[in-house]
C-alpha cells in the first residue's frame, strides 16, 4: 500500500485511525473522558488539488473524488481511478433504482424575488443552493453516500467480508433516516432506525418499505437527552455500525456532506464570485461542520483565489432549542472582548476551542426541555458537531442566530412563493436568519448571501 493522501485523526485527542480499519468512524477514546472526540478526515494539502468544476462531471462523488478519503484508500491499495469511478457510478445507479434519482450537483442561483423582497441592490442579493431535489428530498444523503462508498472500497480491498457484515444503525425520524434507508438499501446493507414516538407515520412507513427495521424509543422521565440517540448508543456498543450524520458517531459522514460545500466553491466561480455570508440552519451541526470544513479546505487549496476570504458563516437555531448558541457564548467568554477587524485572531480562537473541547460538558449542554418548532429538523437536544461549527463562526466572524417561530413561518412562505421551490420550514430556516439580520442592519444592501434550501415539504 502507498501512503494515502488523507488520514483520519481525532480532533479531540489526536488518535490516528488505522488505515486497515474498515470502520474508522468513532474515536475509540470517546466516552473515556470529557473531551470532544470527533474523527476528522485530514487532507495532505501537498498531495491533492481542488478539482476542476468545469469537467462537466455531474455526480459530486465523482467530480470531487480526489478529495475523498475513500478515493485515497482505494488508490493507495491499487484500485485505479477508472475502477473507483466505476464503483461510485454503480452505487449511484443503485441509489437511482431505489429512489428514482442519483446524486447530481444541485442548482445554485441568485433569486431576484428573494433579493428584491429583502431590499438588496443589484450587486448584492440572495443566492439559493437548492437541495430539495436531491436523493430522498434533502442534503442528508450526501453524508451517508460518502460512508457507503468507503465501506464498498473496504470490501473491494478485502478488508471487510461482504458475507459477514454488521448492521448499520441511525437515530432519526426525518430526512436523515430516509436518506440512510435509501443509501443502505442501495448498498445492500441492513439498517436499524431508532425513532421517537412522535415520528411521522408516513416516514416510518417509507422506512419499512425500504426494508429498514424501525424501533420506537419513548422519552423516559428524568432522563436528559434524545431517547432515540441514547438507544442508538447502546446498539453501537453491541457492534452496530453508526450510519449516522453526527460527527462524534461517524466522523467520516462529515466528508460526504462536504460535497455541498465544494459545489458552492465551484458555483461561486460561475456566479457571484465571492460570498459575504453563508447562513446555515443547525440541528446536530453536521451540515454546518461540513460547510466550514469544505470552504476551509478550498481556501487552503487556493480554490478561493490568491488571498482567500471565507464568507462569514452564521448559524440558525430556533427558540425551541439553541444549544449551539449557548456553547458559542460560553466559548466567546474565554476570548478577549475586542471587536476590531480580524478579532479575535485565529490563534486565540484555536486556543479557546482546545480548552472548550477538553471540557465538552461545560460547553455543550443538552437542551433541558423537549424542544418544539415548526422547523422539526433542527430540534436536536445537542449540537453534536458544535466544536467545528463554533470554531468556524469565530474564525469567520459569523454569529449564532436564534429565530422566532413567526420568522420561520414567514421565511418559509417567502421561500416557497418567491422561488416556487417546495422547501419545508427546516429547509428555509436559514432565510429566516437572513431576514432577522437584514432587519437589524447586520447585512448590507450590496452583500452577497447564500442560503441552503435543504429539505423538501412532505
Ligand atoms: C432539511 C434539513 N436541513 C437541515 C438540517 C440540519 O442538519 P444538521 O443536523 O446536520 O445540523 C436537517 C437535519 O435534520 C434537515 O433535515
Amino acid at each position: 500500500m502507498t501512503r494515502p493522501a488523507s488520514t483520519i485523526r481525532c480532533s479531540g485527542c489526536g488518535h490516528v485511525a488505522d488505515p486497515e480499519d474498515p470502520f474508522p468512524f468513532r474515536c475509540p477514546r470517546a466516552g473515556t473522558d470529557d473531551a470532544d472526540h470527533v474523527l476528522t478526515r485530514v487532507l495532505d494539502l501537498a498531495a491533492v488539488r481542488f478539482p476542476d468544476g468545469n469537467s462537466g462531471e455531474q455526480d459530486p462523488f465523482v467530480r470531487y473524488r480526489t478529495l475523498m478519503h475513500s478515493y485515497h484508500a482505494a488508490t493507495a491499495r491499487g484500485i485505479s481511478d477508472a475502477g473507483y469511478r466505476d464503483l461510485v457510478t454503480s452505487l449511484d445507479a443503485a441509489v437511482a433504482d431505489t429512489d428514482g434519482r442519483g446524486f447530481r450537483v444541485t442548482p445554485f442561483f441568485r433569486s431576484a424575488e428573494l433579493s428584491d423582497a429583502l431590499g438588496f441592490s443589484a450587486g448584492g442579493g440572495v443566492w439559493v443552493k437548492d437541495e430539495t431535489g436531491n436523493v430522498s428530498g434533502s442534503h442528508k444523503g450526501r453524508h451517508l453516500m460518502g460512508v457507503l462508498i468507503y465501506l464498498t472500497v473496504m470490501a473491494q480491498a478485502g478488508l471487510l467480508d461482504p458475507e459477514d457484515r454488521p448492521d448499520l444503525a441511525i437515530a432519526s425520524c426525518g430526512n436523515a433516516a430516509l436518506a440512510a434507508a435509501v443509501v443502505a438499501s442501495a448498498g445492500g446493507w441492513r439498517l436499524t432506525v431508532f425513532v421517537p414516538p412522535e415520528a411521522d407515520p408516513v416516514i416510518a412507513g417509507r422506512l419499512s418499505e425500504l426494508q429498514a427495521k424501525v424501533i420506537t424509543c419513548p422519552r423516559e422521565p428524568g432522563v436528559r437527552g434524545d431517547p432515540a440517540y441514547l438507544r442508538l448508543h447502546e446498539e453501537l456498543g453491541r457492534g452496530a455500525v453508526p450510519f449516522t450524520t453526527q460527527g462524534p458517531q461517524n466522523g467520516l459522514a462529515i466528508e460526504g456532506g462536504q460535497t455541498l460545500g465544494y459545489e458552492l466553491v465551484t458555483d461561486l466561480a460561475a456566479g457571484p464570485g465571492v460570498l459575504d455570508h453563508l447562513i446555515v440552519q443547525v440541528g446536530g451541526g453536521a451540515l454546518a461542520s461540513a460547510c466550514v470544513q469544505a470552504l476551509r479546505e478550498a481556501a487552503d487549496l487556493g480554490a478561493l483565489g490568491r488571498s482567500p476570504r471565507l464568507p462569514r458563516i452564521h448559524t440558525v437555531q430556533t427558540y425551541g432549542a439553541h444549544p449551539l448558541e449557548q456553547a458559542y457564548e460560553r466559548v466567546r467568554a474565554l476570548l478577549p472582548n475586542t471587536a476590531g477587524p480580524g478579532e479575535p485572531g485565529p490563534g486565540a480562537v484555536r486556543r479557546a476551542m482546545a480548552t472548550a473541547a477538553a471540557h465538552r460538558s461545560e460547553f455543550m449542554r443538552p437542551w433541558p426541555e423537549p424542544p418544539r418548532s415548526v422547523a422539526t429538523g433542527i430540534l436536536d437536544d445537542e449540537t453534536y458537531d458544535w466544536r467545528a461549527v463554533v470554531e468556524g463562526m469565530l474564525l469567520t466572524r459569523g454569529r449564532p442566530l436564534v429565530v422566532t417561530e413567526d420568522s420561520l413561518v414567514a421565511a418559509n412562505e417567502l421561500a416557497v412563493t418567491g422561488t416556487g421551490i417546495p422547501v419545508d420550514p427546516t429547509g428555509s430556516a436559514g432565510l429566516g436568519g437572513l431576514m432577522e439580520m437584514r432587519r437589524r442592519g447586520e447585512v448590507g444592501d450590496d452583500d452577497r448571501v447564500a442560503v441552503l434550501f435543504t429539505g423538501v415539504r412532505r
Side-chain angles (χ1 to χ4, degrees):
M1 187 177 105
T2 57
R3 192 161 155 260
S6 56
T7 43
I8 304 280
R9 191 184 318 141
C10 178
S11 59
C13 67
H15 165 83
V16 177
D18 177 355
E20 305 277 292
D21 183 356
F23 309 118
F25 302 145
R26 184 165 189 265
C27 178
R29 294 182 197 145
T32 61
D33 56 19
D34 195 25
D36 189 69
H37 294 268
V38 180
L39 289 186
T40 306
R41 189 273 278 122
V42 182
L43 287 178
D44 175 355
L45 292 172
V48 297
R49 57 182 194 81
F50 196 83
D52 177 9
N54 298 322
S55 62
E57 185 51 68
Q58 294 302 304
D59 179 339
F61 291 96
V62 176
R63 186 191 280 181
Y64 301 104
R65 67 189 179 284
T66 55
L67 299 178
M68 297 286 153
H69 187 65
S70 47
Y71 182 80
H72 305 147
T75 49
R77 289 182 173 80
I79 297 175
S80 67
D81 181 66
Y84 183 87
R85 286 181 72 122
D86 286 350
L87 179 152
V88 173
T89 307
S90 68
L91 286 176
D92 190 66
V95 168
D97 265 356
T98 309
D99 194 56
R101 60 202 144 178
F103 288 93
R104 296 294 171 268
V105 294
T106 57
F108 182 70
F109 62 95
R110 181 180 185 278
S111 164
E113 293 79 3
L114 298 184
S115 304
D116 291 349
L118 298 189
F120 281 96
S121 70
V126 186
W127 274 259
V128 175
K129 181 80 175 155
D130 179 12
E131 291 287 306
T132 60
N134 208 338
V135 169
S136 78
S138 79
H139 70 284
K140 290 277 184 184
R142 292 178 184 267
H143 291 294
L144 298 160
M145 185 63 171
V147 176
L148 176 67
I149 294 171
Y150 180 78
L151 291 171
T152 311
V153 164
M154 288 290 106
Q156 209 170 95
L159 292 167
L160 192 165
D161 179 359
E163 302 305 318
D164 181 26
R165 6 185 198 187
D167 286 7
L168 306 178
I170 184 172
S172 162
C173 60
N175 289 321
L178 285 171
V182 165
V183 173
S185 159
W189 286 76
R190 287 182 310 270
L191 173 74
T192 306
V193 184
F194 297 100
V195 300
E198 61 274 14
D200 182 341
V202 176
I203 293 188
R206 175 72 183 137
L207 293 175
S208 301
E209 263 170 42
L210 289 163
Q211 315 298 328
K213 186 164 137 198
V214 180
I215 297 183
T216 305
C217 314
R219 268 184 198 275
E220 288 177 26
V223 180
R224 266 188 167 201
D226 179 342
Y229 195 70
L230 296 173
R231 270 291 273 119
L232 169 70
H233 239 273
E234 287 168 23
E235 201 65 15
L236 300 181
R238 289 193 205 107
V241 172
F243 204 53
T244 70
T245 58
Q246 288 119 353
Q249 296 295 356
N250 187 334
L252 203 60
I254 302 300
E255 190 194 49
Q258 286 181 230
T259 53
L260 192 159
Y262 297 147
E263 284 179 39
L264 271 180
V265 170
T266 301
D267 295 335
L268 284 185
V274 179
L275 268 186
D276 299 299
H277 308 267
L278 170 64
I279 308 183
V280 187
Q281 48 275 28
V282 166
L287 169 65
S289 168
C291 290
V292 166
Q293 188 153 333
L295 290 169
R296 253 176 34 201
E297 287 172 358
D300 289 345
L301 291 169
L304 289 174
R306 240 185 261 149
S307 45
R309 186 162 64 88
L310 292 190
R312 292 174 65 186
I313 299 171
H314 314 284
T315 57
V316 174
Q317 294 189 301
T318 78
Y319 278 97
H322 45 98
L324 177 68
E325 181 264 345
Q326 298 203 333
Y328 171 93
E329 293 303 341
R330 291 180 190 119
V331 177
R332 189 74 188 78
L334 299 179
L335 289 159
N337 200 13
T338 45
E343 295 284 347
V349 169
R350 294 219 164 82
R351 281 191 298 279
M353 284 316 309
T355 304
H359 307 282
R360 185 183 202 278
S361 63
E362 288 173 31
F363 291 84
M364 173 44 62
R365 303 206 185 122
W367 197 250
E369 311 292 335
R372 296 199 200 303
S373 168
V374 63
T376 50
I378 50 173
L379 287 180
D380 299 64
D381 295 27
E382 268 186 66
T383 311
Y384 305 104
D385 287 286
W386 65 285
R387 179 190 177 160
V389 184
V390 170
E391 184 172 295
M393 285 191 283
L394 287 169
L395 288 173
T396 63
R397 291 182 304 119
R399 290 221 300 110
L401 304 159
V402 180
V403 298
T404 62
E405 290 301 294
D406 285 351
S407 292
L408 291 169
V409 171
N412 191 248
E413 272 168 25
L414 177 61
V416 173
T417 53
T419 64
I421 296 170
V423 61
D424 77 346
T426 303
S428 59
L431 184 65
L434 173 57
M435 289 161 75
E436 199 78 35
M437 292 186 89
R438 284 291 286 162
R439 267 196 291 276
R440 291 194 224 145
E442 293 170 353
V443 167
D445 295 355
D446 301 329
D447 285 358
R448 287 151 293 186
V449 188
V451 293
L452 313 174
F453 282 6
T454 44
V456 74
R457 279 187 181 188
R458 299 193 190 275

